Amino acid sequence: NSRIKTTGITKNNWVFSTAKRRIRKKAGAVDGMLDATLAVNHVTTTGKNSQVCRVIVGQIHATKDEPVRLYYRKLPNNTHGSIYIAHEPLKGKEQWYNLIGSRSDKAKNPEDGIALDEVFSYRIKVVGHDLTVTIIRTGKPNVVKVVDMSDSNYNKSDQYMYFKAGVYNQNKSSDEGDFVQATFYQLDNTHD
Protein backbone atom coordinates (compact mmCIF):
# COMPACT_ATOMS: atom_id res chain seq x y z
CA ASN A 1 0.00 0.00 0.00
CA SER A 2 1.82 3.12 -1.21
CA ARG A 3 -0.26 5.33 1.11
CA ILE A 4 1.50 3.76 4.11
CA LYS A 5 4.94 5.09 5.00
CA THR A 6 7.86 2.75 4.36
CA THR A 7 9.79 3.99 7.40
CA GLY A 8 8.78 3.66 11.01
CA ILE A 9 6.56 1.12 12.68
CA THR A 10 3.82 0.83 10.08
CA LYS A 11 1.96 -1.93 8.28
CA ASN A 12 4.81 -1.94 5.70
CA ASN A 13 7.40 -3.14 8.25
CA TRP A 14 7.69 -5.80 10.92
CA VAL A 15 9.05 -6.13 14.45
CA PHE A 16 10.46 -8.87 16.64
CA SER A 17 8.04 -10.61 19.01
CA THR A 18 10.19 -9.31 21.86
CA ALA A 19 8.86 -5.77 21.21
CA LYS A 20 6.14 -4.37 23.44
CA ARG A 21 2.58 -5.47 22.65
CA ARG A 22 1.46 -1.99 21.52
CA ILE A 23 4.37 -1.89 19.04
CA ARG A 24 3.57 -5.37 17.70
CA LYS A 25 -0.03 -4.26 17.07
CA LYS A 26 1.13 -1.25 14.99
CA ALA A 27 3.49 -3.32 12.82
CA GLY A 28 2.59 -5.17 9.65
CA ALA A 29 3.92 -8.45 11.05
CA VAL A 30 5.85 -10.07 13.87
CA ASP A 31 9.03 -12.12 13.49
CA GLY A 32 9.88 -13.36 10.02
CA MET A 33 11.64 -15.67 7.62
CA LEU A 34 13.37 -14.95 4.30
CA ASP A 35 14.08 -17.86 1.94
CA ALA A 36 16.25 -17.35 -1.14
CA THR A 37 17.81 -19.52 -3.83
CA LEU A 38 20.62 -17.92 -5.79
CA ALA A 39 24.03 -18.18 -7.40
CA VAL A 40 26.75 -15.56 -7.05
CA ASN A 41 28.08 -15.09 -10.58
CA HIS A 42 30.87 -12.56 -10.16
CA VAL A 43 32.72 -10.74 -7.37
CA THR A 44 35.13 -7.83 -7.53
CA THR A 45 38.77 -8.72 -8.12
CA THR A 46 40.45 -5.35 -7.53
CA GLY A 47 40.73 -3.09 -4.50
CA LYS A 48 41.85 -3.22 -0.88
CA ASN A 49 42.39 -6.68 0.62
CA SER A 50 39.75 -6.02 3.26
CA GLN A 51 37.10 -5.22 0.63
CA VAL A 52 37.88 -7.28 -2.45
CA CYS A 53 35.58 -10.17 -3.47
CA ARG A 54 32.84 -9.71 -0.86
CA VAL A 55 29.14 -9.09 -1.32
CA ILE A 56 26.09 -9.08 0.94
CA VAL A 57 23.32 -11.25 -0.51
CA GLY A 58 20.73 -11.01 2.28
CA GLN A 59 20.01 -9.13 5.47
CA ILE A 60 17.55 -7.87 8.00
CA HIS A 61 17.74 -4.11 8.28
CA ALA A 62 16.39 -2.35 11.36
CA THR A 63 15.76 1.33 12.06
CA LYS A 64 19.49 2.16 11.89
CA ASP A 65 21.48 -1.05 12.19
CA GLU A 66 21.36 -4.58 10.83
CA PRO A 67 20.49 -7.53 13.03
CA VAL A 68 22.12 -9.71 10.34
CA ARG A 69 24.10 -9.35 7.13
CA LEU A 70 24.83 -12.48 5.08
CA TYR A 71 28.10 -12.31 3.11
CA TYR A 72 29.54 -14.33 0.24
CA ARG A 73 33.28 -13.95 -0.41
CA LYS A 74 35.50 -15.72 -2.95
CA LEU A 75 39.10 -14.56 -2.88
CA PRO A 76 40.94 -14.28 -6.25
CA ASN A 77 43.22 -17.31 -5.72
CA ASN A 78 40.47 -19.57 -4.36
CA THR A 79 38.11 -21.70 -6.43
CA HIS A 80 35.38 -21.62 -3.79
CA GLY A 81 33.86 -18.91 -1.63
CA SER A 82 33.04 -18.54 2.03
CA ILE A 83 29.77 -17.64 3.72
CA TYR A 84 29.67 -15.66 6.96
CA ILE A 85 27.34 -13.35 8.85
CA ALA A 86 27.59 -10.21 10.92
CA HIS A 87 25.22 -9.43 13.79
CA GLU A 88 25.16 -5.77 14.77
CA PRO A 89 23.76 -5.11 18.26
CA LEU A 90 22.44 -1.61 18.88
CA LYS A 91 25.21 -1.13 21.45
CA GLY A 92 28.58 -2.82 21.41
CA LYS A 93 30.75 -4.39 18.75
CA GLU A 94 29.63 -6.32 15.70
CA GLN A 95 29.67 -10.08 16.12
CA TRP A 96 31.05 -12.15 13.24
CA TYR A 97 30.31 -15.83 12.58
CA ASN A 98 31.85 -18.04 9.89
CA LEU A 99 29.38 -20.53 8.42
CA ILE A 100 31.43 -21.95 5.53
CA GLY A 101 35.15 -21.17 5.28
CA SER A 102 36.54 -17.96 6.75
CA ARG A 103 35.97 -14.22 6.31
CA SER A 104 39.73 -13.61 6.61
CA ASP A 105 41.48 -11.55 3.92
CA LYS A 106 43.97 -14.44 3.68
CA ALA A 107 41.49 -17.32 3.84
CA LYS A 108 42.54 -20.58 2.28
CA ASN A 109 40.29 -22.17 -0.31
CA PRO A 110 37.33 -23.44 1.76
CA GLU A 111 37.18 -27.20 1.36
CA ASP A 112 33.38 -27.20 1.43
CA GLY A 113 32.94 -23.72 -0.07
CA ILE A 114 30.59 -22.44 -2.76
CA ALA A 115 31.92 -21.78 -6.26
CA LEU A 116 30.83 -18.90 -8.47
CA ASP A 117 27.66 -19.86 -10.38
CA GLU A 118 26.89 -22.66 -7.88
CA VAL A 119 23.25 -22.59 -6.82
CA PHE A 120 22.55 -22.58 -3.07
CA SER A 121 19.81 -21.41 -0.74
CA TYR A 122 19.68 -19.52 2.50
CA ARG A 123 17.09 -18.99 5.19
CA ILE A 124 17.18 -16.09 7.63
CA LYS A 125 14.66 -16.59 10.43
CA VAL A 126 13.86 -14.65 13.59
CA VAL A 127 11.62 -15.87 16.38
CA GLY A 128 11.86 -13.77 19.52
CA HIS A 129 15.54 -13.39 20.46
CA ASP A 130 16.65 -16.26 18.21
CA LEU A 131 18.21 -15.38 14.87
CA THR A 132 18.82 -18.50 12.76
CA VAL A 133 20.74 -18.51 9.48
CA THR A 134 20.74 -21.71 7.43
CA ILE A 135 22.73 -22.45 4.27
CA ILE A 136 21.12 -25.18 2.15
CA ARG A 137 22.86 -27.08 -0.70
CA THR A 138 21.80 -30.16 -2.61
CA GLY A 139 23.59 -33.28 -1.42
CA LYS A 140 25.27 -31.58 1.54
CA PRO A 141 24.22 -31.16 5.17
CA ASN A 142 22.67 -27.83 6.06
CA VAL A 143 24.90 -25.34 7.83
CA VAL A 144 23.02 -23.65 10.70
CA LYS A 145 24.00 -20.81 13.01
CA VAL A 146 21.77 -19.56 15.83
CA VAL A 147 22.57 -16.17 17.37
CA ASP A 148 21.04 -15.15 20.70
CA MET A 149 19.91 -11.51 20.34
CA SER A 150 18.61 -11.10 23.90
CA ASP A 151 21.29 -8.47 24.66
CA SER A 152 21.11 -6.73 21.28
CA ASN A 153 18.34 -4.25 22.23
CA TYR A 154 16.16 -4.79 19.15
CA ASN A 155 13.14 -5.07 21.43
CA LYS A 156 13.15 -1.26 21.85
CA SER A 157 10.02 0.58 20.73
CA ASP A 158 11.58 2.37 17.74
CA GLN A 159 13.07 -0.71 16.02
CA TYR A 160 11.27 -1.74 12.85
CA MET A 161 12.59 -4.41 10.46
CA TYR A 162 12.63 -5.17 6.76
CA PHE A 163 14.33 -7.86 4.71
CA LYS A 164 16.80 -7.00 1.96
CA ALA A 165 17.93 -9.50 -0.66
CA GLY A 166 20.05 -8.91 -3.71
CA VAL A 167 23.58 -7.77 -4.39
CA TYR A 168 25.11 -5.22 -2.03
CA ASN A 169 28.70 -4.66 -3.17
CA GLN A 170 31.03 -4.26 -0.18
CA ASN A 171 34.03 -3.07 -2.20
CA LYS A 172 34.30 0.71 -2.37
CA SER A 173 37.94 0.54 -3.49
CA SER A 174 37.65 -1.49 -6.69
CA ASP A 175 38.63 -0.27 -10.13
CA GLU A 176 35.97 1.41 -12.24
CA GLY A 177 34.02 -1.25 -14.10
CA ASP A 178 34.69 -3.99 -11.52
CA PHE A 179 31.38 -5.40 -10.26
CA VAL A 180 29.43 -8.03 -8.36
CA GLN A 181 26.57 -10.06 -9.79
CA ALA A 182 24.16 -12.70 -8.54
CA THR A 183 21.15 -14.47 -9.99
CA PHE A 184 18.17 -15.06 -7.70
CA TYR A 185 15.93 -17.96 -8.67
CA GLN A 186 13.49 -17.85 -5.74
CA LEU A 187 12.69 -15.34 -3.00
CA ASP A 188 9.97 -15.67 -0.36
CA ASN A 189 9.30 -14.08 2.99
CA THR A 190 6.78 -15.02 5.64
CA HIS A 191 5.78 -13.62 9.01
CA ASP A 192 3.71 -14.61 12.02
Side-chain angles (χ1 to χ4, degrees), residues 79 145 186:
T79 59
K145 178 62 184 172
Q186 174 263 332

Side-chain angles (χ1 to χ4, degrees), residues 75-178:
L75 294 173
N77 294 325
N78 292 345
T79 59
H80 291 80
S82 299
I83 299 278
Y84 56 93
I85 61 171
H87 170 62
E88 186 175 24
L90 291 179
K91 294 181 181 178
K93 294 182 179 182
E94 286 183 318
Q95 301 164 11
W96 295 90
Y97 303 96
N98 292 321
L99 279 75
I100 298 171
S102 168
R103 75 181 187 99
S104 169
D105 299 340
K106 298 176 182 177
K108 293 181 180 175
N109 193 45
E111 188 175 302
D112 200 27
I114 298 174
L116 291 176
D117 295 320
E118 181 180 338
V119 177
F120 69 99
S121 298
Y122 68 75
R123 172 174 288 158
I124 298 173
K125 182 177 180 180
V126 171
V127 176
H129 289 299
D130 290 335
L131 164 68
T132 306
V133 177
T134 306
I135 304 301
I136 305 152
R137 298 177 287 171
T138 303
K140 296 184 180 184
N142 291 350
V143 178
V144 180
K145 178 62 184 172
V146 179
V147 177
D148 178 2
M149 298 190 299
S150 57
D151 292 328
S152 298
N153 292 311
Y154 284 109
N155 59 339
K156 294 186 181 266
S157 62
D158 65 339
Q159 292 300 309
Y160 63 92
M161 310 294 152
Y162 53 98
F163 285 118
K164 290 174 77 174
V167 179
Y168 184 21
N169 186 0
Q170 293 298 286
N171 189 347
K172 297 176 176 75
S173 64
S174 63
D175 293 347
E176 187 176 332
D178 206 354

Side-chain angles (χ1 to χ4, degrees), residues 33-54:
M33 183 167 58
L34 175 66
D35 285 306
T37 299
L38 70 150
V40 177
N41 310 110
H42 190 271
V43 293
T44 59
T45 56
T46 62
K48 295 179 184 176
N49 283 346
S50 62
Q51 295 181 3
V52 71
C53 305
R54 65 185 182 136

